[in-house]
Amino acid sequence: MISDPAGQSATSSPPQASVNPLGDELAGNRTAQPCALVIFGATGDLTKRKLVPSLMGLAKDGLLPASFAVVGFARRPWSDEHFRNEMLEGVGSFGRSDTRASFEALSDSFSYHQSDFSDAAGYERLAERLDEIDQQLGTKGNRLFYLATPPSAYSVILENLAKSGLSRESEGRFSRIIVEKPFGRDIATASALNEQIRQGFDENQVFRIDHYLGKETVQNILALRFSNGIFEPLWNENFVDHVQITVAESIGVGSRGGYFEESGIIRDMIQNHLMQVMTLIAMEPPSALTADAVRDEKVKVLRAIRSFAPEEIDDATVRAQYERASFEGTEVNGYLEETGVAADSNTETFAAVRLCVENWRWAKTPFFLRSGKRLPRRVTEVAIHFKQPPHHLFPDASPKPNVLLIRVQPDEGVALRFGSKVPGPDMRIRDVRMDFQYGTAFGAETADAYERLLLDAMLGDGTLFARRDEVEEAWRIVDSIVAGWQQSSARPATYAAGSWGPNAAGRLLGEGREWRKP
Ligand SMILES: NC(=O)c1ccc[n+]([C@@H]2O[C@H](COP(=O)([O-])OP(=O)(O)OC[C@H]3O[C@@H](n4cnc5c(N)ncnc54)[C@H](OP(=O)(O)O)[C@@H]3O)[C@@H](O)[C@H]2O)c1
């Protein structure tokens, strides 16, 4: 972790971030070195809706470096003034409460740089601009680049950053890059992108973002497993029957039909978010909470999952598309009727897969991952289903198995389901639940995942970012599923919009198990 006291020797007085109102206990007292953040794609949706509001969340909590600047890089002919107004609007609409004031205090350190990504001269001018900012605001030559652009633009930006020397680090000056998802569309494209990144940046300068890893509840998986004595002894195939990981969305593809046709839910959600969460559930305890120790263990999980042979695909996966139905009081389109979607499209809007982690701990415990659009509600959860007791002492009871439920969103928290005696003269057993809720337990406003990840990148801490080998291993598995689907003559199954997916998903689980309906 980098511990330089931020901005002590700044040459002028930069706008000051506010003092952390949460106190060090919640904020962890982490302060990053002075730096300039260059956002490629600064006029886009992600910058306005997520990145700048998250930066202001950090400012509000006193976590931004005291010397800090943002340079927005995009094509539109905006002035600094226009850029600041747009960002202020974004902070007002999408930021945490009271972050407008943080923006107003820092707005002078926001500037706009107009250039096409392919124009080499634009990078020369950017380098000069950054040198000026170092002089004016004391950002000390430290640069953090954020690729908030369509993936098709990554290549030309990476090439120009390398050519212009902006990617180079020198004594006491860092140069880092954050890359947005999607990171490739298969192992070949991901690996080509990694190679191109390597032309300008070493692996420790690269931060591949998966915003799920920035969510409090996802990080709480590590805390739950490794700071408590009671869970880990049960965390293996002797006690866990199976694990269900669900990421459900209630929305359809909307105006993104064209984009979605190229990816499908397996590339859009399962390759990244669900597999990342799964590795945290399945990994061995790392020797330390360092970036490489954690990621070494995560990647071992992925390596322990075999690629599928085409003939295994029908048994191990289910894919489906939503069909027209009445949902939340309105008639909604089926996937094939959405704008930008081919009438005979095979792209899946729902997928469920059974993954087997072939190692000592999990040999007989399947992991079921499911994700879909137009499901009944937006929810992300991990459910650890424990085995039934070996002997049924209560013949009249049919208790459900114990489930440890990690609710990632909404209602972030952890619940444990277990059987309890119903009051009265009979020995009747019913399921009850112990429930921990993040919001009420800590009473703090949950920060957006991007806040944590932006701060970690400024600190140079890659623990919550995907390493090159993780991304490529996840693609290896997903590629084998996609190849099996492409070779299959069967069309995707269907499910009514607003339902929990196709009936076929049930058979994936096997005898005696059922999908949760959160
Ligand atoms: N939006 C989200 O909530 C979200 C969530 C997760 C991940 N992501 C990922 O984040 C990335 C950005 O998404 P977005 O929704 O913000 O995209 P977007 O709204 O389409 O923005 C694209 C940005 O790139 C700029 N741009 C494109 N071509 C350019 C060129 N040749 N030269 C200079 N600037 C150029 C655009 O500038 P001009 O318009 O000024 O030309 C604009 O600022 C994507 O990879 C996306 O998958 C987005």
Side-chain angles (χ1 to χ4, degrees):
M1 195 176 295
I2 297 158
S3 58
D4 183 351
Q8 294 303 321
S9 57
T11 49
S12 61
S13 298
Q16 294 295 312
S18 64
V19 175
N20 168 21
L22 292 174
D24 289 344
E25 187 205 350
L26 289 181
N29 201 15
R30 306 166 84 211
T31 314
Q33 283 186 318
C35 75
L37 169 67
V38 179
I39 305 178
F40 291 95
T43 57
D45 175 67
L46 183 70
T47 307
K48 185 170 182 175
R49 221 161 45 82
K50 287 286 180 192
L51 303 186
V52 174
S54 295
L55 289 171
M56 292 311 109
L58 289 174
K60 180 186 171 191
D61 291 350
L63 293 171
L64 275 187
S67 298
F68 180 68
V70 173
V71 179
F73 189 127
R75 203 166 25 188
R76 283 175 229 184
W78 283 4
S79 62
D80 288 347
E81 185 73 19
H82 188 99
F83 179 54
R84 289 171 189 153
N85 287 339
E86 288 281 337
M87 295 305 112
L88 178 61
E89 201 182 292
V91 171
S93 307
F94 306 110
R96 282 202 266 148
S97 49
D98 305 332
T99 43
R100 274 179 75 98
S102 306
F103 186 85
E104 276 152 9
L106 282 166
S107 72
D108 286 354
S109 49
F110 277 66
S111 58
Y112 183 72
H113 181 76
Q114 188 207 350
S115 173
D116 193 282
F117 294 152
S118 60
D119 179 7
Y123 295 77
E124 305 295 330
R125 285 188 282 113
L126 174 67
E128 286 163 20
R129 177 83 197 97
L130 288 170
D131 288 343
E132 282 164 26
I133 289 173
D134 286 340
Q135 296 303 314
Q136 289 160 3
L137 297 177
T139 41
K140 294 192 168 174
N142 293 323
R143 325 274 183 236
L144 178 59
F145 300 105
Y146 199 121
L147 300 189
T149 72
S152 56
Y154 292 172
S155 175
V156 71
I157 300 173
L158 288 164
E159 193 185 320
N160 279 307
L161 284 176
K163 272 194 195 148
S164 62
L166 281 163
S167 61
R168 249 194 323 272
E169 297 195 310
S170 55
E171 190 62 31
R173 293 171 162 221
F174 70 70
S175 175
R176 300 184 186 134
I177 188 156
I178 304 179
V179 188
E180 258 298 337
K181 81 159 223 191
F183 198 92
R185 67 182 314 274
D186 52 24
I187 192 166
T189 48
S191 149
L193 178 56
N194 278 324
E195 272 310 305
Q196 184 161 27
I197 292 174
R198 210 166 60 89
Q199 307 294 315
F201 297 89
D202 289 338
E203 181 63 27
N204 65 5
Q205 295 172 263
V206 185
F207 297 78
R208 296 173 194 80
I209 211 158
D210 184 326
H211 71 270
Y212 264 60
L213 295 181
K215 290 180 185 288
E216 286 288 346
T217 7
V218 170
Q219 292 161 52
N220 197 35
I221 294 171
L222 293 177
L224 187 82
R225 288 190 58 193
F226 304 131
S227 75
N228 295 294
I230 60 169
F231 299 115
E232 205 51 26
L234 305 178
W235 213 263
N236 57 59
E237 62 143 20
N238 294 327
F239 298 95
V240 178
D241 178 74
H242 72 281
V243 177
Q244 293 183 16
I245 303 177
T246 301
V247 177
E249 291 180 302
S250 57
I251 52 169
V253 294
S255 58
R256 295 174 72 229
Y259 162 80
F260 197 79
E261 277 282 89
E262 295 299 312
S263 65
I265 208 83
I266 193 138
R267 289 191 173 103
D268 199 36
M269 304 297 284
I270 294 184
Q271 185 273 342
N272 38 70
H273 306 323
L274 281 93
M275 289 183 105
Q276 282 290 329
V277 171
M278 181 195 164
T279 57
L280 294 174
I281 296 289
M283 69 192 266
E284 294 301 315
S287 55
L289 216 52
T290 60
D292 276 331
V294 170
R295 296 185 297 183
D296 284 347
E297 297 306 332
K298 286 170 65 201
V299 79
K300 281 187 212 165
V301 173
L302 296 168
R303 287 197 193 118
I305 301 171
R306 272 190 307 113
S307 304
F308 290 94
E311 61 274 14
E312 293 173 315
I313 287 299
D314 283 348
D315 179 52
T317 71
V318 170
R319 60 174 172 156
Q321 293 172 336
Y322 60 81
E323 279 194 320
R324 168 176 284 272
S326 168
F327 181 42
E328 293 174 341
T330 359
E331 182 85 359
V332 298
N333 279 340
Y335 179 63
L336 297 180
E337 301 164 295
E338 301 276 22
T339 312
V341 173
D344 60 350
S345 169
N346 273 339
T347 303
E348 76 292 346
T349 61
F350 173 98
V353 301
R354 180 177 61 237
L355 296 179
C356 299
V357 182
E358 296 182 9
N359 65 13
W360 200 270
R361 186 187 283 262
W362 297 116
K364 293 201 205 87
T365 303
F367 285 73
F368 298 101
L369 277 50
R370 115 185 118 155
S371 185
K373 292 195 175 289
R374 282 276 185 243
L375 299 183
R377 58 187 290 242
R378 177 171 175 262
V379 62
T380 298
E381 60 164 48
V382 179
I384 318 282
H385 290 244
F386 290 91
K387 290 186 174 169
Q388 295 274 19
H391 173 61
H392 285 285
L393 202 52
F394 308 102
D396 295 337
S398 54
K400 293 194 178 140
N402 299 130
V403 175
L404 182 71
L405 182 67
I406 302 168
R407 290 190 305 265
V408 176
Q409 67 186 18
D411 312 326
E412 291 90 341
V414 180
L416 181 66
R417 182 173 83 186
F418 58 97
S420 170
K421 182 184 174 304
V422 178
D426 307 330
M427 200 57 178
R428 283 195 298 126
I429 311 289
R430 206 183 77 191
D431 291 319
V432 294
R433 200 158 138 141
M434 273 196 305
D435 209 335
F436 151 73
Q437 294 187 323
Y438 246 90
T440 42
F442 292 107
E445 192 180 14
T446 313
D448 190 274
Y450 277 95
E451 286 190 28
R452 172 66 195 260
L453 296 173
L454 281 163
L455 179 62
D456 279 5
M458 286 182 227
L459 289 162
D461 182 348
T463 312
L464 301 179
F465 295 84
R467 207 170 54 186
R468 172 177 185 160
D469 49 358
E470 282 181 77
V471 171
E472 293 184 10
E473 283 293 329
W475 276 123
R476 171 186 59 77
I477 300 161
V478 164
D479 282 359
S480 73
I481 297 173
V482 173
W485 286 344
Q486 282 169 351
Q487 287 177 35
S488 162
S489 53
R491 278 196 45 76
T494 55
Y495 60 102
S499 71
W500 275 108
N503 292 334
R507 64 140 176 85
L508 204 65
L509 299 177
E511 195 61 28
R513 299 177 181 137
E514 55 187 48
W515 286 107
R516 283 179 39 79
K517 295 193 167 113

